[in-house]
Amino acid sequence: MTECKNENIRNLAIIAHVDHGKTTLVDALLKQGKVFRSHQQVGALIMDTNPLERERGITILAKNASVSYGDVRINIIDTPGHADFSGEVERVMNMADGCLLLVDAVDGPMPQTTYVLRQALQQNVTPMVVINKIDRPEARAAEVVTMIQDLFLELATDVEQLDFPVLYASARDGYATADPGTPGRDMQPLFDAIVESVPPPGGDLDAPLQMLVAALDYDNYLGQVSIGRISNGTLSLRDDVALLGRDGEISSHNIERIFVFRGMERVEVSEAYAGDIVAVAGLEGVSIGDTITSTESPEALPTIDINEPTVSMTFGVSTSPFMGRDGIHCTSRNLHERLMRELRTNISLRVETTSSPDVFVVAGRGELHLSILVETMRREQFEFQVSRPIPVTKMIDGKEYEPYEILNITTHEQYVGALTEYLSTHLAQLRDMRYDDNGYVDLEYKIPTRGLIGFNAFFLQTTRGDGVKSSFFTSYEPMEGEIKSQGGGVLVASEAGTAVTYGLLNAQGRGETFIDPGTMVYEGMIVGSHRRDGDIEINVCKQKKLTNVRSSTADIAKRLNATMHMSLEEALAFIADDELLEVTPLNLRLRKAELSAHARKRHRRDEARARV
């Protein structure tokens, strides 16, 4: 056995809860690792290359970069901190030898921190901990360290994982230190700790080639690019290799290009060794979890285990009268090809066909996971329609089971009553409640996933932004109970045309409106909501009749109330089972699934007869 040549490599995954400063810390490591030229302006959020990541302030896609510290190259694997994107964590953690757990010095370890740390420790990586934001006046570093030690006692799979170094940092100010009472000058203590505590990658250079594909990319010139870590052997340019699929099927390929990561860029090399994280071109039809191996003795590596999706919704070809006005990709073939392409890289997603060739069932890890896909597709000029998210259920021994989640909330005590009332009607069970000295409360609930659908919008409105929440999947349990409806109906356009002020004034006499004057509408489009049961058909295109009779108050302008404009997530939570959301690059339109008022009445009449 020949020892691995890569003694001067450290493969490190960085994991953290949302908003704990992971992206800022990576920025500091890249800048102080001399990745960029001295005069180069790089700004912030360097690793968040996806526009949605910058807009929402979260990491969605796992990404690779590297920095040099002395003779050591540190390969950084940036992972998402949100449980909805935990599939990204599961697929890339096998490339790491160590993990850096980043925790806020005020918040401490959060519930989703538990989830991603468990994924890391199950891969037997060597952990280290950084307490971030120690410059904040309310920082409680000593208490947070105790909480982290308790967390490791709960999750560690090996006694050696309990012996981890702890550093303290202010990623915003660009320093790390071993003593929280002594501010540092730069990130050198953190670089030293990474080199000392994270082991170099193992692997046998004399063994047959083995590399597990952990990520996929596409290049217009190179075609499909496979990313992963070489576990054993050597990979050389123009090598003939075998590709072992999950189903055991073997195909032959030739390596056309090999790249390693240097800073934020890929650098082409002619050869790579066990322990290297590489990007390889020349393999077509590869999927995440496949093994690239030697043709002489093909042997598969353990594949990547991915937890099942918990929420699903339908994606269908738009049947709107306005179809084709905003987007470019509108057909079922376009939609199917795009969803299949997404499956290549988004391994926690599932796509199933239905009895209709124009409708597909798409399942993911949560509302956010699916809404990010919807938003991405609309920015790619797709037009389609989606249904309300529903939980993915299972039949076990003839009984229906549904996913449950642990919901954690931190907010001011004045909002607890409203939140408790809402959650109690959505089958939530309160498991823990803790008050602090500043009037804030930590709440922990166990709740079915269907009870969480639409909760985000209510939470933001109720707490006025003064609160944080997170949830993660815990188990499947028998489906019991019914979610109590909030009541109310919708205002439905009865005619096609252009909405005018006079028609909208009539609509606002019935309820709240969602559109402005000048908006094009069609029959069956939802233009507002009201508090009574049932839907109300209304003509928002109706104009005031003109007469030659003048009134003393005729010139007094009537003002419309403010229009309610929904975000994508709010719209998905708002629609009912018989409604859809029409998604285009320029518009989000709420609509009835059946646009014709006559057809809707006939359908309700048939349902009433069936019940009798």
Side-chain angles (χ1 to χ4, degrees):
M1 176 176 175
T2 304
E3 291 185 1
C4 177
K5 286 186 178 181
N6 291 327
E7 291 296 324
N8 291 335
I9 286 182
R10 301 293 185 271
N11 295 322
L12 180 71
I14 301 183
I15 57 179
H17 183 75
V18 178
D19 291 333
H20 279 202
K22 174 173 58 64
T23 304
T24 308
L25 180 73
V26 173
D27 285 354
L29 292 176
L30 292 173
K31 290 174 181 177
Q32 296 188 29
K34 296 182 172 56
V35 169
F36 309 103
R37 294 183 294 273
S38 58
H39 64 278
Q40 189 173 352
Q41 298 295 321
V42 294
L45 307 178
I46 301 168
M47 289 285 278
D48 285 349
T49 54
N50 187 313
L52 279 175
E53 293 179 321
R54 289 178 172 267
E55 291 174 17
R56 295 172 180 255
I58 59 175
T59 301
I60 297 172
L61 304 172
K63 293 174 284 293
N64 298 82
S66 76
V67 298
S68 294
Y69 181 67
D71 296 331
V72 178
R73 186 171 80 249
I74 301 172
N75 288 320
I76 297 174
I77 305 167
D78 188 18
T79 65
H82 199 290
D84 279 22
F85 307 106
S86 54
E88 295 287 309
V89 180
E90 293 163 4
R91 71 173 174 82
V92 301
M93 199 54 69
N94 67 83
M95 293 193 289
D97 299 294
C99 73
L100 188 157
L101 175 65
L102 188 70
V103 180
D104 191 299
V106 178
D107 296 339
M110 302 293 282
Q112 292 184 17
T113 308
T114 304
Y115 185 88
V116 292
L117 180 60
R118 180 184 288 114
Q119 296 293 328
L121 296 182
Q122 286 175 353
Q123 296 289 334
N124 294 319
V125 298
T126 300
M128 58 184 300
V129 174
V130 173
I131 310 297
N132 192 29
K133 304 183 183 181
I134 59 169
D135 54 315
R136 294 176 61 179
E138 61 271 33
R140 44 176 188 150
E143 185 177 345
V144 169
V145 170
T146 302
M147 297 165 69
I148 292 172
Q149 291 171 340
D150 293 340
L151 181 62
F152 271 86
L153 283 171
E154 176 187 347
L155 301 179
T157 59
D158 190 293
V159 66
E160 294 181 358
Q161 293 176 336
L162 298 176
D163 184 19
F164 51 86
V166 178
L167 282 88
Y168 306 87
S170 171
R172 184 191 63 181
D173 295 336
Y175 71 81
T177 177
D179 180 6
T182 306
R185 296 187 303 273
D186 52 30
M187 284 291 174
Q188 182 177 341
L190 179 54
F191 281 121
D192 290 335
I194 292 172
V195 173
E196 292 172 8
S197 63
V198 177
D204 183 0
L205 288 178
D206 292 336
L209 172 68
Q210 284 182 306
M211 169 183 157
L212 188 68
V213 179
L216 292 175
D217 198 0
Y218 187 83
D219 185 276
N220 290 330
Y221 177 68
L222 300 173
Q224 198 167 31
V225 178
S226 307
I227 301 172
R229 170 181 159 179
I230 302 174
S231 298
N232 288 300
T234 301
L235 185 66
S236 300
L237 200 61
R238 301 303 175 190
D239 275 355
D240 290 321
V241 298
L243 180 66
L244 292 179
R246 285 173 173 264
D247 54 2
E249 184 177 346
I250 303 178
S251 56
S252 297
H253 303 266
N254 183 264
I255 300 299
E256 297 179 358
R257 296 286 186 87
I258 304 173
F259 300 90
V260 294
F261 293 91
R262 296 289 186 271
M264 295 290 295
E265 299 177 350
R266 295 174 186 171
V267 177
E268 187 171 357
V269 295
S270 60
E271 200 169 36
Y273 310 97
D276 273 326
I277 295 177
V278 297
V280 179
L283 293 88
E284 294 298 328
V286 64
S287 300
I288 291 174
D290 292 352
T291 301
I292 300 172
T293 183
S294 159
T295 54
E296 290 81 10
S297 54
E299 184 177 351
L301 291 167
T303 191
I304 300 172
D305 293 324
I306 301 297
N307 289 336
E308 298 179 6
T310 57
V311 175
S312 70
M313 56 198 288
T314 63
F315 283 54
V317 175
S318 176
T319 56
S320 162
F322 296 165
M323 189 268 285
R325 294 189 180 185
D326 297 343
I328 299 173
H329 311 296
C330 309
T331 66
S332 59
R333 179 179 61 83
N334 294 146
L335 183 60
H336 180 261
E337 288 178 352
R338 177 62 181 84
L339 293 175
M340 291 300 104
R341 190 165 71 249
E342 185 69 21
L343 286 180
R344 295 180 180 178
T345 56
N346 198 338
I347 57 175
S348 53
L349 203 71
R350 299 288 184 273
V351 177
E352 298 176 2
T353 57
T354 66
S355 56
S356 171
D358 296 335
V359 179
F360 307 93
V361 176
V362 180
R365 286 288 179 85
E367 282 183 277
L368 182 60
H369 187 200
L370 293 177
S371 67
I372 289 292
L373 174 59
V374 172
E375 181 63 31
T376 301
M377 290 176 61
R378 72 182 292 222
R379 295 185 182 203
E380 295 172 357
Q381 302 299 306
F382 278 83
E383 277 195 32
F384 53 101
Q385 58 193 27
V386 296
S387 67
R388 176 184 175 87
I390 60 173
V392 176
T393 60
K394 292 181 177 181
M395 294 301 295
I396 303 177
D397 297 330
K399 192 167 185 179
E400 190 172 22
Y401 280 64
E402 66 176 331
Y404 271 72
E405 301 187 33
I406 299 299
L407 170 66
N408 292 86
I409 297 172
T410 300
T411 188
H412 198 274
E413 58 185 3
Q414 63 179 314
Y415 307 123
V416 171
L419 293 173
T420 302
E421 182 180 357
Y422 177 94
L423 291 170
S424 64
T425 63
H426 287 65
L427 307 179
Q429 307 164 21
L430 181 63
R431 291 162 42 117
D432 193 14
M433 176 186 289
R434 297 184 301 275
Y435 287 82
D436 66 12
D437 298 332
N438 300 315
Y440 281 82
V441 187
D442 293 327
L443 303 166
E444 181 178 301
Y445 291 90
K446 185 177 181 180
I447 183 171
T449 298
R450 59 188 167 116
L452 275 178
I453 294 174
F455 174 64
N456 187 58
F458 176 84
F459 178 77
L460 292 175
Q461 293 170 5
T462 301
T463 62
R464 298 175 177 85
D466 188 13
V468 293
K469 70 173 184 67
S470 62
S471 63
F472 61 93
F473 168 79
T474 178
S475 62
Y476 271 87
E477 297 187 13
M479 179 176 277
E480 296 176 351
E482 185 176 346
I483 303 293
K484 294 183 181 178
S485 172
Q486 297 298 303
V490 294
L491 304 176
V492 185
S494 60
E495 293 185 15
T498 303
V500 296
T501 301
Y502 184 74
L504 289 173
L505 280 170
N506 290 334
Q508 289 190 346
R510 303 291 189 92
E512 189 175 29
T513 55
F514 301 157
I515 61 173
D516 297 312
T519 303
M520 297 288 291
V521 300
Y522 52 79
E523 181 186 3
M525 181 173 160
I526 297 172
V527 296
S529 65
H530 63 91
R531 297 185 179 276
R532 296 176 293 279
D533 291 334
D535 301 335
I536 298 176
E537 295 175 23
I538 194 160
N539 183 9
V540 292
C541 305
K542 182 179 179 181
Q543 301 197 31
K544 184 178 181 181
K545 292 182 180 179
L546 300 177
T547 70
N548 58 0
V549 178
R550 292 184 175 270
S551 167
S552 61
T553 59
D555 294 331
I556 297 178
K558 294 185 178 180
R559 294 182 178 273
L560 287 170
N561 296 329
T563 302
M564 177 181 176
H565 295 288
M566 294 187 188
S567 66
L568 173 59
E569 285 81 7
E570 289 171 338
L572 288 173
F574 177 84
I575 55 178
D577 295 336
D578 64 338
E579 296 165 359
L580 298 170
L581 175 64
E582 178 191 350
V583 180
T584 80
L586 302 179
N587 294 287
L588 296 173
R589 300 187 184 100
L590 304 172
R591 49 161 287 182
K592 304 300 287 188
E594 182 61 66
L595 296 178
S596 168
H598 177 71
R600 292 198 300 272
K601 291 177 182 177
R602 184 174 65 246
H603 182 68
R604 287 195 296 268
R605 185 170 61 247
D606 292 343
E607 284 186 335
R609 288 175 179 173
R611 286 194 295 269
V612 174

